Amino acid sequence: ETGVTQSPTHLIKTRGQQVTLRCSSQSGHNTVSWYQQALGQGPQFIFQYYREEENGRGNFPPRFSGLQFPNYSSELNVNALELDDSALYLCASSFDREDQETQYFGPGTRLLVL
Amino acid sequence: AQKVTQAQTEISVVEKEDVTLDCVYETRDTTYYLFWYKQPPSGELVFLIRRNSFDEQNEISGRYSWNFQKSTSSFNFTITASQVVDSAVYFCALIGTSYDKVIFGPGTSLSVIP
C-alpha cells in the first residue's frame, strides 16, 4: 500500500448534483494530483496541487475544482454532474525534493452519475 | 505533444508462459520519465518501475524485466513465467519536465490462465 487514502470508496449521485471527493497524501508528500479514469481507459490528468496552489491543469471544465489544505490533504469538487462524469477518480501524491517525478496512487473513488 | 501508445488491448497467456507488453511513447522533452503501473481489479494503481530518459540500462526485478530503447521510443515490459496473480491491466506512462501530469497509455489487459 502507498499510504494514499481516498474517501468515499463508492458514490452514487444524480445529474446536476455536486460531489466532493477527498484524498490524504502519503506522509511527507506535499503534491497531490487528481485523475479521472473512465471505464476501459487510462487515467486522464485533471489537475495538480503543490503547497496549496494549483500547479497544472488538464482539459477539464471549470466545474472541476480542487483544494489542498495545509496538511497537504486535498479535495476534488465537481459541480453540475453529468452522466459522463461517471468514472474512477484517482488521487496521487508525490514529494517535491526527492522522487518528485513518481506519483503514488490511492485506491480511488468510484462515482456513478444517474 | 506527449503521447503513450499500448497497441495490445488484451493479452491472454497460459500460466508459466513469458509475455511482453509493448509501449511506445512520444515527447519533445529531452528529460522525461517512463513508468509502468499495474491495476488489479480493486482499482488501485501499483507503481512497478520508473526509468529516466538518460538511463537506457535494462532492468530486471524478479520475474519482471524492462527494455528501454530510446532510438525506437519504446519501453517494453516482460513478465517471465507468468502467474495468475499477474492478471491485471498494465499501464505505461510518461511524465515530462513539468512534473505535473502523468500521461498514461490506454492500458493492456493481461489474463493469465491457470
Side-chain angles (χ1 to χ4, degrees), chain A residues 75-93:
Chain A
E75 287 183 355
L76 164 65
N77 299 290
V78 187
N79 293 322
L81 283 167
E82 300 176 1
L83 298 180
D84 285 348
D85 295 333
S86 295
L88 177 67
Y89 288 85
L90 293 162
C91 163
S93 73

Side-chain angles (χ1 to χ4, degrees), chain B residues 42-77:
Chain B
S42 60
E44 183 169 351
L45 281 168
V46 177
F47 166 74
L48 296 178
I49 189 172
R50 175 193 69 214
R51 173 66 72 228
N52 75 52
S53 51
F54 299 107
D55 182 3
E56 288 194 67
Q57 280 190 336
N58 292 331
E59 182 159 338
I60 298 174
S61 176
R63 297 184 296 106
Y64 295 169
S65 62
W66 292 269
N67 183 318
F68 175 33
Q69 293 197 340
K70 212 168 176 178
S71 60
T72 56
S73 298
S74 65
F75 186 43
N76 296 337
F77 173 30

Side-chain angles (χ1 to χ4, degrees), chain A:
Chain A
E1 293 190 0
T2 62
V4 180
T5 61
Q6 292 185 243
S7 63
T9 55
H10 296 80
L11 202 52
I12 300 175
K13 291 285 189 178
T14 56
R15 196 170 47 182
Q17 286 188 312
Q18 178 266 343
V19 68
T20 297
L21 309 181
R22 295 178 175 83
C23 171
S24 291
S25 58
Q26 185 167 317
S27 178
H29 286 189
N30 56 17
T31 304
V32 174
S33 305
W34 286 92
Y35 293 80
Q36 180 195 68
Q37 186 179 14
L39 194 62
Q41 299 181 20
Q44 300 291 316
F45 175 74
I46 303 174
F47 43 57
Q48 182 183 81
Y49 278 84
Y50 170 65
R51 296 188 177 181
E52 303 179 56
E53 293 193 1
E54 190 175 287
N55 188 47
R57 189 178 182 94
N59 295 324
F60 281 81
R63 58 189 186 84
F64 285 78
S65 63
L67 280 175
Q68 187 179 31
F69 301 99
N71 66 355
Y72 303 132
S73 65
S74 177
E75 287 183 355
L76 164 65
N77 299 290
V78 187
N79 293 322
L81 283 167
E82 300 176 1
L83 298 180
D84 285 348
D85 295 333
S86 295
L88 177 67
Y89 288 85
L90 293 162
C91 163
S93 73
S94 52
F95 184 41
D96 73 336
R97 292 189 182 175
E98 298 174 12
D99 196 21
Q100 64 186 101
E101 64 280 354
T102 302
Q103 298 185 7
Y104 296 91
F105 286 80
T109 294
R110 293 189 186 274
L111 172 65
L112 177 61
V113 182
L114 300 176

Side-chain angles (χ1 to χ4, degrees), chain B residues 25 32-36 49-52 68 75 93-94:
Chain B
Y25 64 91
Y32 52 89
Y33 292 83
L34 297 165
F35 304 86
W36 277 94
I49 189 172
R50 175 193 69 214
R51 173 66 72 228
N52 75 52
F68 175 33
F75 186 43
L94 163 76

